[in-house]
Structure formats: structure tokens, C-alpha cells
Amino acid sequence: LLAKLALPPGEERATFEEVARDILEKRRENLAALVSEHQAHLDDLLELDHVLSNLTLAESELRSYAEERILWIPSVQDSLVPGAQDFQSGLAWLSDFQAIKAELDAQARPSPLILSLLAALILAFLSSLVWSRRGPPAPTEGSLNAAAWKGALRRISPVVALCGLAFVIGNSLGGGAHALAIGATLRTLSLYSAALTVVWGISPFAGGVALRRLIWISAAPFLAASALVAAMEHAPDLDWTNALGRSAFVAAMLIEAAVLAWALRERGPLGAALRLHEGIVGRLAPYLPYLAAGLPLATAALAAGGYYYTGLRLEIRFEGTLLAVLLALFTYDVLLAALAAPAEAALPVSGESLYKAAD
């Protein structure tokens, strides 16, 4: 600083040197304070991360405790038949649009991760629109093989991408009870809609018009009842949940049991196709109608008998198991097609060689 000023030696230069020393000292003090504050902030962040880890662990332990000790405790302590006032109060809470608008307006801006995920899903939706229009037309009937799954995924990919978009949006909502209810509803509708869309996609290969007609009839009431169940899980009054949510759950389970029993029966749209499979899938197919219909009926009976929490949690596990079975079936078909492709490609070559040898 003094070199830039180019002052000659003297009293004025001494004054400027004193000022420069003061500035340098202040700068050193400010930098030391800034480093100290940053260190304190880093310590706070590390402590917060430790607290969040402990909170996550405590939540997991509490959930395990609830699953082990509270799962079989009745959820309804009073009358099993809900009163009309509980239904009216629950519906009034669901239709409080001013509170819903206020909670949605108060939502924090999504994180960069959520925004990037939404952008990726939008791009996937646009790409799937192009992909779904390509490829040969689907046959009217066939069997559940790798080609069937591929054709189904090609046709339904735009709807599945939209379901994923709705799931991410619902998962990002939080705060008040209404916002949580909307988020849970979006997640539930997206998951069930994606599952119904997949079944719709394989209908040209298994089930045909009968399966599509079944989906048309049952989809709307089942989705409406499931959405009501998800929304009422966040109701501020447990009586409203036990009245409106429990009734909707029983209705949804009755619809699910009827649809699965009809679709998986011996001559049903899906049962006939599954029985054509070789191996463990074909051997288990005759028992699937009883299992697929019996478990929803059992959970509906539990909920109607006052064990609503028990029935709901068991149904979630049942649906997860059913999804795992479908994924296993898909993997089996894909691997079988991959193993059979080299042999099928070699058959024409072998036939041509034999023909030439015979000549």
C-alpha cells in the first residue's frame, strides 16, 4: 500500500504507515473471527447430523416396537359402528379448501435434488411418448413372455412416467395435515395407477377385452377408496380416521378381493395365462386365487372388527409381496428369453446346413 502511494520519507509517511498497520491488524482480526465462526458453524452441522442420525435410529426402533407390540392392539376402542357425526367431520376436514390452499402456499421451495428429479421425469415422459409410438403393433392375444412385457412397457411408459412424477411431487409435500394428506394421496394414486396400467399393458397378451373391461369397472372405485384411506391417515382426529378411513379401507379390500379372485381363476384373464407357465409359476397358479382374494378379505375383516391398524399394515405387506412376485415373473421371462435367443437364432442355420447335406 505504501509502495503504491510512493510517499517520500517524513511525518506524512509515518502517519500513513500507522494507518496501514491498523488496517492490517483489523483485517487479521476479521479473518480470525470469520474462521472461528465457520468452525463453529461446521461443529453445529456435525452435531445436527449426529442428532438426525440418532433420531432416525430412534424412529426405526419405535417403528419396530410398534410392529411387535402394538400391531395386534385394537385401533377402535369405542363402538365398531362409526357415527354419522364422525363421517361429516371427516368430510368437512377433507373439503376445507381454504386450509388446503394456505398449506400449499406455505410449502418451501423444492430442493435442487427434487427439481432435477422432476426434470428427469418430465424428460422421461417426453421420451416415452416417442418410444411408445415405435415398434410393431401388439398382437390381440398371446402369452406372458418377454415380448409381452416389452410391448406392455412400451405402450404404458408415458403413463408410468406421469405416475412417477406424481409420486415425487407427493413425496415432496409436507408441513400441515392437509399437505401431508395430499402428498399421501398422490403417492397412493401414483402407485396403484402404475400397477393398473401395467396390467392394462399386458392385456393384449393375457386377458384381452375381459381384463380391460374389469379394469374399467373396478379402477375408479378402488382408486377413490384407496385415496381416501391415504388421506385420512393424516386426519387430526382419530375418530374421523376410524370412521371414514376404515370404511374406505374395507370397501377397497372387498373390491380388490373380488377383482383378484375373478382375474386369477382358472378361466380368468390372468389365471389362464399363468397356468400356461412351466415351473414354479405354473404349479402355484391354481392356489393364487385363494391367496390373492383371501388376504384382502382377512384384512377387511380385521379392520371391520376394530383392528384397523393391523389390517392396514398387513395389506401393505401383502401388496409388497405381490409386487415382488410380479417382478420375479418378469425377471424369469426376460432371463428365459435371453437364454433361448441363441438357440432360436441357430435353428435356421442348422436347418439350412442339413438341407444342403441332404442334397
Side-chain angles (χ1 to χ4, degrees), residues 209-228:
V209 178
L211 183 58
R212 290 194 289 273
R213 186 182 296 116
L214 177 65
I215 296 175
W216 271 116
I217 294 173
S218 60
F222 177 76
L223 290 176
S226 300
L228 193 57

Side-chain angles (χ1 to χ4, degrees), residues 153-328:
L153 290 176
R154 185 178 64 249
R155 290 191 304 276
I156 67 174
S157 54
V159 180
V160 174
L162 285 179
C163 291
L165 194 64
F167 183 87
V168 174
I169 293 175
N171 205 45
S172 63
L173 295 177
H178 284 100
L180 292 173
I182 293 174
T185 301
L186 286 176
R187 292 193 300 272
T188 300
L189 289 178
S190 62
L191 291 175
Y192 284 133
S193 298
L196 290 173
T197 304
V198 170
V199 177
W200 180 277
I202 65 174
S203 62
F205 303 92
V209 178
L211 183 58
R212 290 194 289 273
R213 186 182 296 116
L214 177 65
I215 296 175
W216 271 116
I217 294 173
S218 60
F222 177 76
L223 290 176
S226 300
L228 193 57
V229 171
M232 294 309 297
E233 281 295 293
H234 299 278
D237 195 324
L238 187 60
D239 291 335
W240 305 349
T241 302
N242 285 329
L244 202 55
R246 186 163 62 98
S247 301
F249 177 77
V250 172
M253 291 303 98
L254 293 178
I255 295 172
E256 182 178 329
V259 169
L260 291 177
W262 189 85
L264 294 173
R265 62 193 176 92
E266 183 177 359
R267 296 183 180 180
L270 293 178
L274 291 175
R275 283 168 173 79
L276 295 176
H277 271 268
E278 299 179 356
I280 189 172
V281 177
R283 291 196 295 268
L284 292 179
Y287 306 100
L288 287 180
Y290 305 102
L291 180 65
L295 285 176
L297 288 176
T299 55
L302 286 172
Y307 292 87
Y308 177 42
Y309 178 83
T310 306
L312 183 59
R313 292 296 171 264
L314 291 178
E315 175 60 22
I316 292 174
R317 293 180 179 181
F318 164 68
E319 291 172 353
T321 305
L322 188 61
L323 177 61
V325 171
L326 292 176
L327 289 176

Side-chain angles (χ1 to χ4, degrees), residues 338-353:
L339 293 174
E344 293 177 356
L347 284 177
V349 178
S350 302
E352 185 178 355
S353 301

